[in-house]
Amino acid sequence: MEKPFFKNLIKIEPYTAGEQPKGGDIIKLNANENPYPPSPAVQEAISGFDAEQLRLYPPMDAAPLRQAVADFYGVDRSCVFAGNGSDDVLAAAFRAFFNSDKPLLYPDITYSFYPVWCDLLRIPYETIPVDEGFNVRVEDYCRENGGIVLPNPNAPTTIGLGLDRIEYLISSNRESVVIIDEAYADFSGVSCVPLIKKYDNLVVTQTFSKSRSLAGMRVAAAIADPYLISCLDAVKDSYNSYPMDAVAIRAGAAAIADREYFEQTCRRVIATRERTAKRLRELGFILPDSSANFLFATHPGHSAEKIFTYLRERGIYIRYFRKPRIDNYLRITIGTDEQMDRLIEELERLLGR
Ligand SMILES: *Cc1c(COP(=O)(O)O)cnc(C)c1O
């Protein structure tokens, strides 16, 4: 018989992340991680960390990290919030900003964590279909809503919008908060951070997991008008005053201070991306131009699921989503040139070239 308290337990379908396979000779292209290590300054910060300091609570509000983010973007520190990965920052933002009875809007094809937070926090939402080419049409978001969240570039489609489109979206929705999730913006060169000075309803989230090679450290930030930042702080201080540990604060600050290493790493990833996209097209794949550190590809002659399984059996992990509209597409993270060569070799074998 069902236990009486069962009816009061949470019923939610959680987010499923890419597999984290263990083992030596695998090529992991399934979680959009960076193939290069973080800045050497991060290693120094960690090695130089004095464990004695762990006796104390970490700096209030992750202040050294917030300051480093503010310096990088040329904004005031009161415009910066920091958190334990952007999943933590976004969850706080959903709680802080989306308390309307009107629906939150986001694309039908996008980051699959958004519906999970909506279910968890009981936020009403509506998805807006992207067009046949997977493009987000910002005009479709000019309607009554309780908020908007949009990744730019979008995931998993890799398609980025220009700043003029993003500004149109924000300026047409002054009654609600618009979150632009810039997890991949460092690979497109288009960031709307400068617009926070003009629009007090804009929140930009950034993560250190992709372009700064710190997925394992859990570091991210939000940049917005100080009033919105104070709302994020209120949420944070209502569930966990110290979500960021002392080591992550130090390492994150060191990572963002090293602009040169960061720019160099992004350039390498972008060069490999362009080279890989060209080779995939030569093999008959169809893919949009990517503004991110991954590709989104389909092959007219071979099912995505079959290609995914074939590669997996050969130790190459990519991502396949069994979801409407995109179940014949593959999401392939950009690795090193050598890793992408291995991928292309295996695909050539499969496709019989
Ligand atoms: C990876 C990703 C995030 C979250 O990254 P964190 O590791 O939690 O910082 C957020 N949004 C999108 C679109 C992502 O792809």
Side-chain angles (χ1 to χ4, degrees):
M1 204 184 76
E2 195 171 87
K3 297 182 200 300
F5 56 82
F6 271 24
K7 65 181 188 311
N8 296 328
L9 302 183
I10 193 166
K11 289 165 200 75
I12 194 164
E13 194 180 319
Y15 174 74
T16 17
E19 288 177 84
Q20 292 290 1
K22 302 274 172 322
D25 193 29
I26 68 141
I27 296 183
K28 190 167 179 304
L29 308 174
N30 69 345
N32 297 344
E33 292 146 326
N34 201 302
Y36 302 110
S39 156
V42 170
Q43 182 67 63
E44 271 169 48
I46 296 171
S47 309
F49 190 87
D50 179 6
E52 202 271 337
Q53 284 187 37
L54 293 176
R55 223 169 34 75
L56 304 171
Y57 281 102
M60 194 63 175
D61 299 337
L65 174 64
R66 291 197 198 200
Q67 185 62 58
V69 172
D71 293 345
F72 183 87
Y73 290 104
V75 298
D76 191 78
R77 189 156 77 81
S78 60
C79 300
V80 179
F81 175 82
N84 195 5
S86 64
D87 290 338
D88 179 50
V89 172
L90 285 162
F94 273 48
R95 278 198 195 185
F97 307 132
F98 301 145
N99 295 295
S100 171
D101 299 330
K102 295 174 196 163
L104 172 68
L105 306 181
Y106 55 82
D108 62 337
I109 299 175
T110 194
Y111 189 38
S112 44
F113 225 133
Y114 302 153
V116 178
W117 288 315
C118 287
D119 285 349
L120 182 68
L121 303 168
R122 303 178 192 199
I123 298 168
Y125 66 94
E126 268 175 40
T127 57
I128 309 285
V130 295
D131 74 12
E132 319 78 71
F134 298 135
N135 299 290
V136 169
R137 288 174 306 215
V138 288
E139 295 75 14
D140 297 348
Y141 294 74
C142 299
R143 48 187 271 195
E144 237 193 1
N145 65 71
I148 293 170
V149 58
L150 178 70
N152 191 41
N154 196 11
T157 65
T158 73
I159 300 172
L161 291 176
L163 216 46
D164 60 319
R165 298 285 74 204
I166 296 292
E167 182 160 10
Y168 178 88
L169 177 72
I170 302 159
S171 63
S172 324
N173 287 283
R174 296 307 302 269
E175 313 260 295
S176 39
V177 170
V178 178
I179 299 181
I180 304 296
D181 178 350
E182 292 195 348
Y184 302 105
D186 295 325
F187 303 103
S188 73
V190 175
S191 169
C192 65
V193 167
L195 294 180
I196 64 147
K197 291 180 181 158
K198 198 164 157 192
Y199 298 101
D200 57 8
N201 62 322
L202 167 64
V203 178
V204 186
T205 59
Q206 299 261 348
T207 175
F208 287 42
S209 298
K210 279 78 186 228
S211 58
R212 291 188 167 83
S213 312
L214 280 184
M217 193 106 237
R218 316 305 300 132
V219 181
I223 302 149
D225 178 81
Y227 189 74
L228 295 185
I229 297 297
S230 72
C231 297
L232 286 171
D233 275 318
V235 168
K236 171 181 82 70
D237 293 336
S238 305
Y239 74 88
N240 179 0
S241 297
Y242 299 99
M244 296 202 71
D245 67 74
V247 181
I249 292 167
R250 278 270 288 268
I256 200 163
D258 192 349
R259 191 185 284 265
E260 194 182 319
Y261 179 88
F262 157 76
E263 285 175 354
Q264 184 193 318
T265 310
C266 290
R267 275 198 303 272
R268 283 172 86 177
V269 170
I270 291 167
T272 306
R273 174 186 80 200
E274 294 309 305
R275 185 169 160 266
T276 307
K278 183 165 171 284
R279 296 174 77 189
L280 287 175
R281 289 190 178 111
E282 285 163 6
L283 288 173
F285 283 92
I286 296 166
L287 53 155
D289 286 332
S290 170
S291 297
N293 67 336
F294 57 97
L295 298 168
F296 194 55
T298 186
H299 197 289
H302 298 262
S303 91
E305 188 164 17
K306 197 185 84 187
I307 298 172
F308 168 80
T309 308
Y310 173 89
L311 290 173
R312 198 169 177 280
E313 283 162 359
R314 283 154 189 80
I316 302 177
Y317 286 71
I318 60 173
R319 195 88 199 260
Y320 169 68
F321 302 94
R322 204 170 280 108
K323 284 191 179 164
R325 295 191 75 184
I326 58 169
D327 62 355
N328 205 25
Y329 277 79
L330 298 164
R331 193 193 74 182
I332 307 167
T333 303
I334 300 302
T336 61
D337 278 324
E338 297 71 46
Q339 291 176 323
M340 302 324 272
D341 288 347
R342 274 278 319 278
L343 168 81
I344 297 287
E345 262 169 49
E346 291 295 353
L347 288 172
E348 280 171 350
R349 206 161 293 153
L350 171 68
L351 306 175
R353 307 235 170 174

mmCIF file with all atom_site columns, all heavy atoms in Angstrom, residues 137-154:
data_model
loop_
_atom_site.group_PDB
_atom_site.id
_atom_site.type_symbol
_atom_site.label_atom_id
_atom_site.label_alt_id
_atom_site.label_comp_id
_atom_site.label_asym_id
_atom_site.label_entity_id
_atom_site.label_seq_id
_atom_site.pdbx_PDB_ins_code
_atom_site.Cartn_x
_atom_site.Cartn_y
_atom_site.Cartn_z
_atom_site.occupancy
_atom_site.B_iso_or_equiv
_atom_site.pdbx_formal_charge
_atom_site.auth_seq_id
_atom_site.auth_comp_id
_atom_site.auth_asym_id
_atom_site.auth_atom_id
_atom_site.pdbx_PDB_model_num
ATOM 1   N N   . ARG A 1 137 ? 12.753 34.138 -33.551 1.00 0.00 ? 137 ARG A N   1
ATOM 2   C CA  . ARG A 1 137 ? 12.221 35.398 -34.092 1.00 0.00 ? 137 ARG A CA  1
ATOM 3   C C   . ARG A 1 137 ? 11.788 36.245 -32.913 1.00 0.00 ? 137 ARG A C   1
ATOM 4   O O   . ARG A 1 137 ? 10.803 35.935 -32.248 1.00 0.00 ? 137 ARG A O   1
ATOM 5   C CB  . ARG A 1 137 ? 11.017 35.120 -35.008 1.00 0.00 ? 137 ARG A CB  1
ATOM 6   C CG  . ARG A 1 137 ? 11.400 34.470 -36.349 1.00 0.00 ? 137 ARG A CG  1
ATOM 7   C CD  . ARG A 1 137 ? 10.166 34.092 -37.114 1.00 0.00 ? 137 ARG A CD  1
ATOM 8   N NE  . ARG A 1 137 ? 9.301  33.238 -36.278 1.00 0.00 ? 137 ARG A NE  1
ATOM 9   C CZ  . ARG A 1 137 ? 8.552  32.237 -36.754 1.00 0.00 ? 137 ARG A CZ  1
ATOM 10  N NH1 . ARG A 1 137 ? 8.541  31.973 -38.046 1.00 0.00 ? 137 ARG A NH1 1
ATOM 11  N NH2 . ARG A 1 137 ? 7.795  31.537 -35.925 1.00 0.00 ? 137 ARG A NH2 1
ATOM 12  N N   . VAL A 1 138 ? 12.549 37.307 -32.649 1.00 0.00 ? 138 VAL A N   1
ATOM 13  C CA  . VAL A 1 138 ? 12.276 38.096 -31.437 1.00 0.00 ? 138 VAL A CA  1
ATOM 14  C C   . VAL A 1 138 ? 10.897 38.760 -31.469 1.00 0.00 ? 138 VAL A C   1
ATOM 15  O O   . VAL A 1 138 ? 10.305 39.022 -30.422 1.00 0.00 ? 138 VAL A O   1
ATOM 16  C CB  . VAL A 1 138 ? 13.391 39.143 -31.161 1.00 0.00 ? 138 VAL A CB  1
ATOM 17  C CG1 . VAL A 1 138 ? 14.649 38.458 -30.695 1.00 0.00 ? 138 VAL A CG1 1
ATOM 18  C CG2 . VAL A 1 138 ? 13.642 40.029 -32.354 1.00 0.00 ? 138 VAL A CG2 1
ATOM 19  N N   . GLU A 1 139 ? 10.363 38.985 -32.675 1.00 0.00 ? 139 GLU A N   1
ATOM 20  C CA  . GLU A 1 139 ? 9.023  39.586 -32.789 1.00 0.00 ? 139 GLU A CA  1
ATOM 21  C C   . GLU A 1 139 ? 7.973  38.719 -32.082 1.00 0.00 ? 139 GLU A C   1
ATOM 22  O O   . GLU A 1 139 ? 6.984  39.227 -31.562 1.00 0.00 ? 139 GLU A O   1
ATOM 23  C CB  . GLU A 1 139 ? 8.613  39.749 -34.268 1.00 0.00 ? 139 GLU A CB  1
ATOM 24  C CG  . GLU A 1 139 ? 9.457  40.724 -35.071 1.00 0.00 ? 139 GLU A CG  1
ATOM 25  C CD  . GLU A 1 139 ? 10.848 40.177 -35.447 1.00 0.00 ? 139 GLU A CD  1
ATOM 26  O OE1 . GLU A 1 139 ? 11.076 38.947 -35.319 1.00 0.00 ? 139 GLU A OE1 1
ATOM 27  O OE2 . GLU A 1 139 ? 11.707 40.986 -35.848 1.00 0.00 ? 139 GLU A OE2 1
ATOM 28  N N   . ASP A 1 140 ? 8.184  37.413 -32.092 1.00 0.00 ? 140 ASP A N   1
ATOM 29  C CA  . ASP A 1 140 ? 7.216  36.498 -31.470 1.00 0.00 ? 140 ASP A CA  1
ATOM 30  C C   . ASP A 1 140 ? 7.140  36.654 -29.953 1.00 0.00 ? 140 ASP A C   1
ATOM 31  O O   . ASP A 1 140 ? 6.251  36.099 -29.307 1.00 0.00 ? 140 ASP A O   1
ATOM 32  C CB  . ASP A 1 140 ? 7.586  35.033 -31.777 1.00 0.00 ? 140 ASP A CB  1
ATOM 33  C CG  . ASP A 1 140 ? 7.538  34.729 -33.269 1.00 0.00 ? 140 ASP A CG  1
ATOM 34  O OD1 . ASP A 1 140 ? 7.008  35.571 -34.027 1.00 0.00 ? 140 ASP A OD1 1
ATOM 35  O OD2 . ASP A 1 140 ? 8.038  33.666 -33.673 1.00 0.00 ? 140 ASP A OD2 1
ATOM 36  N N   . TYR A 1 141 ? 8.098  37.386 -29.381 1.00 0.00 ? 141 TYR A N   1
ATOM 37  C CA  . TYR A 1 141 ? 8.134  37.564 -27.924 1.00 0.00 ? 141 TYR A CA  1
ATOM 38  C C   . TYR A 1 141 ? 7.507  38.899 -27.514 1.00 0.00 ? 141 TYR A C   1
ATOM 39  O O   . TYR A 1 141 ? 7.544  39.266 -26.348 1.00 0.00 ? 141 TYR A O   1
ATOM 40  C CB  . TYR A 1 141 ? 9.573  37.465 -27.413 1.00 0.00 ? 141 TYR A CB  1
ATOM 41  C CG  . TYR A 1 141 ? 10.157 36.084 -27.605 1.00 0.00 ? 141 TYR A CG  1
ATOM 42  C CD1 . TYR A 1 141 ? 10.550 35.637 -28.871 1.00 0.00 ? 141 TYR A CD1 1
ATOM 43  C CD2 . TYR A 1 141 ? 10.284 35.211 -26.529 1.00 0.00 ? 141 TYR A CD2 1
ATOM 44  C CE1 . TYR A 1 141 ? 11.050 34.360 -29.057 1.00 0.00 ? 141 TYR A CE1 1
ATOM 45  C CE2 . TYR A 1 141 ? 10.793 33.933 -26.707 1.00 0.00 ? 141 TYR A CE2 1
ATOM 46  C CZ  . TYR A 1 141 ? 11.173 33.515 -27.980 1.00 0.00 ? 141 TYR A CZ  1
ATOM 47  O OH  . TYR A 1 141 ? 11.671 32.253 -28.163 1.00 0.00 ? 141 TYR A OH  1
ATOM 48  N N   . CYS A 1 142 ? 6.962  39.613 -28.510 1.00 0.00 ? 142 CYS A N   1
ATOM 49  C CA  . CYS A 1 142 ? 6.317  40.890 -28.209 1.00 0.00 ? 142 CYS A CA  1
ATOM 50  C C   . CYS A 1 142 ? 4.856  40.632 -27.889 1.00 0.00 ? 142 CYS A C   1
ATOM 51  O O   . CYS A 1 142 ? 3.967  40.858 -28.714 1.00 0.00 ? 142 CYS A O   1
ATOM 52  C CB  . CYS A 1 142 ? 6.462  41.856 -29.376 1.00 0.00 ? 142 CYS A CB  1
ATOM 53  S SG  . CYS A 1 142 ? 8.176  42.208 -29.728 1.00 0.00 ? 142 CYS A SG  1
ATOM 54  N N   . ARG A 1 143 ? 4.595  40.086 -26.721 1.00 0.00 ? 143 ARG A N   1
ATOM 55  C CA  . ARG A 1 143 ? 3.241  39.780 -26.274 1.00 0.00 ? 143 ARG A CA  1
ATOM 56  C C   . ARG A 1 143 ? 3.272  39.719 -24.760 1.00 0.00 ? 143 ARG A C   1
ATOM 57  O O   . ARG A 1 143 ? 4.349  39.720 -24.155 1.00 0.00 ? 143 ARG A O   1
ATOM 58  C CB  . ARG A 1 143 ? 2.798  38.442 -26.856 1.00 0.00 ? 143 ARG A CB  1
ATOM 59  C CG  . ARG A 1 143 ? 3.856  37.368 -26.655 1.00 0.00 ? 143 ARG A CG  1
ATOM 60  C CD  . ARG A 1 143 ? 3.506  36.116 -27.352 1.00 0.00 ? 143 ARG A CD  1
ATOM 61  N NE  . ARG A 1 143 ? 2.702  35.297 -26.457 1.00 0.00 ? 143 ARG A NE  1
ATOM 62  C CZ  . ARG A 1 143 ? 2.481  34.005 -26.674 1.00 0.00 ? 143 ARG A CZ  1
ATOM 63  N NH1 . ARG A 1 143 ? 2.980  33.421 -27.743 1.00 0.00 ? 143 ARG A NH1 1
ATOM 64  N NH2 . ARG A 1 143 ? 1.764  33.313 -25.837 1.00 0.00 ? 143 ARG A NH2 1
ATOM 65  N N   . GLU A 1 144 ? 2.080  39.659 -24.174 1.00 0.00 ? 144 GLU A N   1
ATOM 66  C CA  . GLU A 1 144 ? 2.014  39.659 -22.722 1.00 0.00 ? 144 GLU A CA  1
ATOM 67  C C   . GLU A 1 144 ? 2.833  38.513 -22.134 1.00 0.00 ? 144 GLU A C   1
ATOM 68  O O   . GLU A 1 144 ? 2.719  37.376 -22.615 1.00 0.00 ? 144 GLU A O   1
ATOM 69  C CB  . GLU A 1 144 ? 0.563  39.519 -22.277 1.00 0.00 ? 144 GLU A CB  1
ATOM 70  C CG  . GLU A 1 144 ? 0.173  40.667 -21.408 1.00 0.00 ? 144 GLU A CG  1
ATOM 71  C CD  . GLU A 1 144 ? -1.132 40.448 -20.677 1.00 0.00 ? 144 GLU A CD  1
ATOM 72  O OE1 . GLU A 1 144 ? -1.769 39.379 -20.817 1.00 0.00 ? 144 GLU A OE1 1
ATOM 73  O OE2 . GLU A 1 144 ? -1.503 41.367 -19.963 1.00 0.00 ? 144 GLU A OE2 1
ATOM 74  N N   . ASN A 1 145 ? 3.644  38.797 -21.140 1.00 0.00 ? 145 ASN A N   1
ATOM 75  C CA  . ASN A 1 145 ? 4.436  37.725 -20.532 1.00 0.00 ? 145 ASN A CA  1
ATOM 76  C C   . ASN A 1 145 ? 4.866  38.121 -19.127 1.00 0.00 ? 145 ASN A C   1
ATOM 77  O O   . ASN A 1 145 ? 4.838  39.286 -18.759 1.00 0.00 ? 145 ASN A O   1
ATOM 78  C CB  . ASN A 1 145 ? 5.650  37.403 -21.414 1.00 0.00 ? 145 ASN A CB  1
ATOM 79  C CG  . ASN A 1 145 ? 6.611  38.563 -21.499 1.00 0.00 ? 145 ASN A CG  1
ATOM 80  O OD1 . ASN A 1 145 ? 7.300  38.895 -20.538 1.00 0.00 ? 145 ASN A OD1 1
ATOM 81  N ND2 . ASN A 1 145 ? 6.662  39.236 -22.651 1.00 0.00 ? 145 ASN A ND2 1
ATOM 82  N N   . GLY A 1 146 ? 5.281  37.119 -18.381 1.00 0.00 ? 146 GLY A N   1
ATOM 83  C CA  . GLY A 1 146 ? 5.776  37.361 -17.023 1.00 0.00 ? 146 GLY A CA  1
ATOM 84  C C   . GLY A 1 146 ? 7.288  37.358 -16.959 1.00 0.00 ? 146 GLY A C   1
ATOM 85  O O   . GLY A 1 146 ? 7.885  37.373 -15.882 1.00 0.00 ? 146 GLY A O   1
ATOM 86  N N   . GLY A 1 147 ? 7.918  37.330 -18.124 1.00 0.00 ? 147 GLY A N   1
ATOM 87  C CA  . GLY A 1 147 ? 9.372  37.319 -18.195 1.00 0.00 ? 147 GLY A CA  1
ATOM 88  C C   . GLY A 1 147 ? 9.823  36.552 -19.431 1.00 0.00 ? 147 GLY A C   1
ATOM 89  O O   . GLY A 1 147 ? 9.017  35.870 -20.083 1.00 0.00 ? 147 GLY A O   1
ATOM 90  N N   . ILE A 1 148 ? 11.094 36.714 -19.774 1.00 0.00 ? 148 ILE A N   1
ATOM 91  C CA  . ILE A 1 148 ? 11.653 36.037 -20.944 1.00 0.00 ? 148 ILE A CA  1
ATOM 92  C C   . ILE A 1 148 ? 13.038 35.516 -20.569 1.00 0.00 ? 148 ILE A C   1
ATOM 93  O O   . ILE A 1 148 ? 13.786 36.204 -19.866 1.00 0.00 ? 148 ILE A O   1
ATOM 94  C CB  . ILE A 1 148 ? 11.765 37.012 -22.139 1.00 0.00 ? 148 ILE A CB  1
ATOM 95  C CG1 . ILE A 1 148 ? 10.357 37.424 -22.624 1.00 0.00 ? 148 ILE A CG1 1
ATOM 96  C CG2 . ILE A 1 148 ? 12.577 36.414 -23.298 1.00 0.00 ? 148 ILE A CG2 1
ATOM 97  C CD1 . ILE A 1 148 ? 10.344 38.552 -23.614 1.00 0.00 ? 148 ILE A CD1 1
ATOM 98  N N   . VAL A 1 149 ? 13.353 34.308 -21.019 1.00 0.00 ? 149 VAL A N   1
ATOM 99  C CA  . VAL A 1 149 ? 14.731 33.830 -20.877 1.00 0.00 ? 149 VAL A CA  1
ATOM 100 C C   . VAL A 1 149 ? 15.165 33.269 -22.225 1.00 0.00 ? 149 VAL A C   1
ATOM 101 O O   . VAL A 1 149 ? 14.425 32.533 -22.875 1.00 0.00 ? 149 VAL A O   1
ATOM 102 C CB  . VAL A 1 149 ? 14.892 32.799 -19.729 1.00 0.00 ? 149 VAL A CB  1
ATOM 103 C CG1 . VAL A 1 149 ? 14.007 31.585 -19.881 1.00 0.00 ? 149 VAL A CG1 1
ATOM 104 C CG2 . VAL A 1 149 ? 16.359 32.366 -19.589 1.00 0.00 ? 149 VAL A CG2 1
ATOM 105 N N   . LEU A 1 150 ? 16.350 33.694 -22.647 1.00 0.00 ? 150 LEU A N   1
ATOM 106 C CA  . LEU A 1 150 ? 16.846 33.288 -23.957 1.00 0.00 ? 150 LEU A CA  1
ATOM 107 C C   . LEU A 1 150 ? 18.363 33.136 -23.915 1.00 0.00 ? 150 LEU A C   1
ATOM 108 O O   . LEU A 1 150 ? 19.063 34.059 -23.513 1.00 0.00 ? 150 LEU A O   1
ATOM 109 C CB  . LEU A 1 150 ? 16.479 34.375 -24.993 1.00 0.00 ? 150 LEU A CB  1
ATOM 110 C CG  . LEU A 1 150 ? 16.964 34.146 -26.428 1.00 0.00 ? 150 LEU A CG  1
ATOM 111 C CD1 . LEU A 1 150 ? 16.209 32.993 -27.080 1.00 0.00 ? 150 LEU A CD1 1
ATOM 112 C CD2 . LEU A 1 150 ? 16.781 35.416 -27.259 1.00 0.00 ? 150 LEU A CD2 1
ATOM 113 N N   . PRO A 1 151 ? 18.866 31.966 -24.322 1.00 0.00 ? 151 PRO A N   1
ATOM 114 C CA  . PRO A 1 151 ? 20.319 31.864 -24.444 1.00 0.00 ? 151 PRO A CA  1
ATOM 115 C C   . PRO A 1 151 ? 20.759 32.490 -25.767 1.00 0.00 ? 151 PRO A C   1
ATOM 116 O O   . PRO A 1 151 ? 20.117 32.293 -26.789 1.00 0.00 ? 151 PRO A O   1
ATOM 117 C CB  . PRO A 1 151 ? 20.584 30.350 -24.484 1.00 0.00 ? 151 PRO A CB  1
ATOM 118 C CG  . PRO A 1 151 ? 19.264 29.686 -24.234 1.00 0.00 ? 151 PRO A CG  1
ATOM 119 C CD  . PRO A 1 151 ? 18.214 30.681 -24.612 1.00 0.00 ? 151 PRO A CD  1
ATOM 120 N N   . ASN A 1 152 ? 21.839 33.250 -25.717 1.00 0.00 ? 152 ASN A N   1
ATOM 121 C CA  . ASN A 1 152 ? 22.401 33.805 -26.957 1.00 0.00 ? 152 ASN A CA  1
ATOM 122 C C   . ASN A 1 152 ? 23.911 33.645 -26.937 1.00 0.00 ? 152 ASN A C   1
ATOM 123 O O   . ASN A 1 152 ? 24.575 34.304 -26.141 1.00 0.00 ? 152 ASN A O   1
ATOM 124 C CB  . ASN A 1 152 ? 22.032 35.282 -27.113 1.00 0.00 ? 152 ASN A CB  1
ATOM 125 C CG  . ASN A 1 152 ? 22.370 35.773 -28.508 1.00 0.00 ? 152 ASN A CG  1
ATOM 126 O OD1 . ASN A 1 152 ? 22.138 35.066 -29.492 1.00 0.00 ? 152 ASN A OD1 1
ATOM 127 N ND2 . ASN A 1 152 ? 22.948 36.956 -28.615 1.00 0.00 ? 152 ASN A ND2 1
ATOM 128 N N   . PRO A 1 153 ? 24.447 32.763 -27.817 1.00 0.00 ? 153 PRO A N   1
ATOM 129 C CA  . PRO A 1 153 ? 23.797 31.876 -28.779 1.00 0.00 ? 153 PRO A CA  1
ATOM 130 C C   . PRO A 1 153 ? 22.863 30.860 -28.104 1.00 0.00 ? 153 PRO A C   1
ATOM 131 O O   . PRO A 1 153 ? 23.084 30.508 -26.947 1.00 0.00 ? 153 PRO A O   1
ATOM 132 C CB  . PRO A 1 153 ? 24.967 31.134 -29.432 1.00 0.00 ? 153 PRO A CB  1
ATOM 133 C CG  . PRO A 1 153 ? 26.204 31.853 -29.045 1.00 0.00 ? 153 PRO A CG  1
ATOM 134 C CD  . PRO A 1 153 ? 25.905 32.633 -27.830 1.00 0.00 ? 153 PRO A CD  1
ATOM 135 N N   . ASN A 1 154 ? 21.872 30.402 -28.888 1.00 0.00 ? 154 ASN A N   1
ATOM 136 C CA  . ASN A 1 154 ? 20.945 29.422 -28.338 1.00 0.00 ? 154 ASN A CA  1
ATOM 137 C C   . ASN A 1 154 ? 21.595 28.034 -28.325 1.00 0.00 ? 154 ASN A C   1
ATOM 138 O O   . ASN A 1 154 ? 22.476 27.730 -29.122 1.00 0.00 ? 154 ASN A O   1
ATOM 139 C CB  . ASN A 1 154 ? 19.659 29.395 -29.173 1.00 0.00 ? 154 ASN A CB  1
ATOM 140 C CG  . ASN A 1 154 ? 18.497 28.699 -28.470 1.00 0.00 ? 154 ASN A CG  1
ATOM 141 O OD1 . ASN A 1 154 ? 18.569 28.395 -27.272 1.00 0.00 ? 154 ASN A OD1 1
ATOM 142 N ND2 . ASN A 1 154 ? 17.440 28.437 -29.203 1.00 0.00 ? 154 ASN A ND2 1
#
